[in-house]
Amino acid sequence: MIILGIETSCDETAAAVLTNDENRVTILSNVVASSADLQAKYGGVIPEQAAREQIKSMIPVIEEALLESRVKSQDIDAIAVTYGPGLIGSLLVGVETAKTLATVWNKPLIPINHLLGHFYANWIGGQPKFPAIGLLVSGGHTDLILFKDHGRHEYLGGTRDDAAGECFDKCARLLRLPYPGGPNLAKLALQGLALQINLPRPMINSKDLDFSFSGLKTAVANIADKSNVADLAASIEQTIVDVLVKKSIQAVKQYGVKNLIIAGGVAANQLLVSNLQLKTKLYVPPPELCTDNAAMIATAAFFNNHPIKPNKLQANPNLNLSI
Ligand code: KG4
Ligand code: ZN
C-alpha cells in the first residue's frame, strides 16, 4: 500500500509518501517546509501568518514529495491528513487540500489525530511492543497514555497548564535565546552545570500522572538576570527532564508494562532520552522525526486505516488524546 501523508497543524507544511510491506514501513519521500525562520523574527508563531505560509507552501510541498518518491498520483492508495489538534487556519489548509485531492483522484481519505501521529514516528523502522506507556512531549502537549494496541489507548494524565515544550520555549525566551527555544536552550545547557541552581519541580511527588510546568517559568523569571545563563539553562533542562522521567516511570510501574514510547518535539532532547534509557526499555524516533512531519501521519494511517467520506471531514483544533 502507498500512502500520501499531509501535515499542516502549526508552522510546518509537510507531505510524505510511504509504502508498507506488512508491518514494515518505508519512507519514499518526506518533505517539510518550515516557516520557523519567519516565526523566529517575532519570537513565536503568529497563527494568521502561519496559515498564510501554509497556503503558499502546500502544493509545492506535495509536488516535491511526489516527485522525490517517483510515485504517480494514480499509484497512491490513500491520502492521510492531520485533522487536529492545532491552529485552525493552518489545519484547514491541509484538510481542505486532502479532501480535494481525495475527491479529484478518487482515493480513500484517512483522518489522523496529530498527537497519535507523533507516536507513530516510532513505527518507522521500528516495531514497539504493546502494551506500552506513551509519553507525548510537544510544544502544545504533555500527555501520558496507556497503549494497549493500535487504535486502543487510555488517557492517563497530562499537563494542567503549560506543556513541556512550551516551558522550554518560554524559559528560553527569558534567557533571550532565539526561537525555537527548546533546542537552543539544550545546546546552551551543555556548557552549564545544573547543580549550581535549584529550581522547583512542581507536582513531582503527586500520586497522579499529571504535570504542571507554569511555575517553573515564573521561578526562572525571578532569577534570570542574576544567574549564570549556561548554568540556568542546564538547571531548567534537568528540572523538566526530572519531572518527565519521574511521572513516566511511575506510569510504567503502575500499569506493569515494560515499554515506554516517547514522541513529540521534546523527545529530540538527548538528556531526556539518556535519563529514560537508564530506567526502562525506551522507543524514541530519530530526532528529525520527533518534530512535525508527514511521514508519521502516513505511518499512523497504515495502522489505523479508517477512511471517511471527504465531505464528512472537518478540522478539529481541540482534538485530544482522550477521544
Ligand atoms: O512536536 P513539535 O514539533 O510541535 C508541536 O506539535 O508542538 O514540538 C515542538 C517543541 C517546541 O517547543 C521545541 O522547543 C521543542 O519541541 N523541542 C525541544 C528540542 N527540540 C524541539 N525541546 C527540548 N530539547 C530539544 N532538543
Ligand atoms: Zn506536533
Side-chain angles (χ1 to χ4, degrees), residues 211-273:
F211 304 84
S212 167
F213 288 109
S214 68
L216 184 55
K217 70 168 187 272
T218 314
V220 170
N222 287 336
I223 58 168
D225 288 335
K226 16 183 197 268
S227 309
N228 173 294
V229 68
D231 288 344
L232 186 52
S235 180
I236 293 164
E237 184 183 40
Q238 189 67 60
T239 301
I240 296 173
V241 165
D242 283 352
V243 177
L244 293 173
V245 170
K246 173 83 193 304
K247 290 288 169 123
S248 304
I249 300 305
Q250 191 174 319
V252 163
K253 289 192 178 141
Q254 198 173 321
Y255 288 87
V257 305
K258 296 206 168 58
N259 310 303
L260 177 65
I261 303 174
I262 63 170
V266 182
N269 185 278
Q270 291 311 302
L271 186 71
L272 175 65
V273 170

Side-chain angles (χ1 to χ4, degrees), residues 7 9-10 12 85 114-115 118 136 138-141 264-265 290-293 296:
E7 153 66 43
S9 63
C10 188
E12 262 95 25
H114 177 81
L115 307 177
H118 268 299
L136 175 68
S138 70
H141 289 82
C290 286
T291 44
D292 289 351
N293 65 83
M296 68 187 195

Side-chain angles (χ1 to χ4, degrees), residues 77-94:
D77 295 298
I79 297 171
V81 65
T82 297
Y83 74 108
L87 303 170
I88 184 64
S90 292
L91 282 169
L92 277 171
V93 177

Side-chain angles (χ1 to χ4, degrees), residues 2 17-18 27-30 62-76:
I2 295 177
V17 180
L18 279 82
I27 297 181
L28 300 179
S29 67
N30 186 22
I62 292 175
E63 279 175 345
E64 196 179 327
L66 287 174
L67 199 71
E68 240 179 63
S69 69
R70 295 168 185 271
V71 169
K72 296 202 171 55
S73 57
Q74 58 265 34
D75 298 328
I76 289 168

Side-chain angles (χ1 to χ4, degrees), residues 5-28:
I6 295 175
E7 153 66 43
T8 66
S9 63
C10 188
D11 58 347
E12 262 95 25
T13 313
V17 180
L18 279 82
T19 179
N20 77 328
D21 177 14
E22 294 281 317
N23 285 338
R24 282 180 59 95
V25 176
T26 308
I27 297 181
L28 300 179

Side-chain angles (χ1 to χ4, degrees), residues 6-8 13-15 53-63 93-95 97-98:
I6 295 175
E7 153 66 43
T8 66
T13 313
E53 291 301 310
Q54 293 285 4
I55 294 173
K56 275 194 227 157
S57 306
M58 183 77 277
I59 299 298
V61 164
I62 292 175
E63 279 175 345
V93 177
V95 167
T97 304

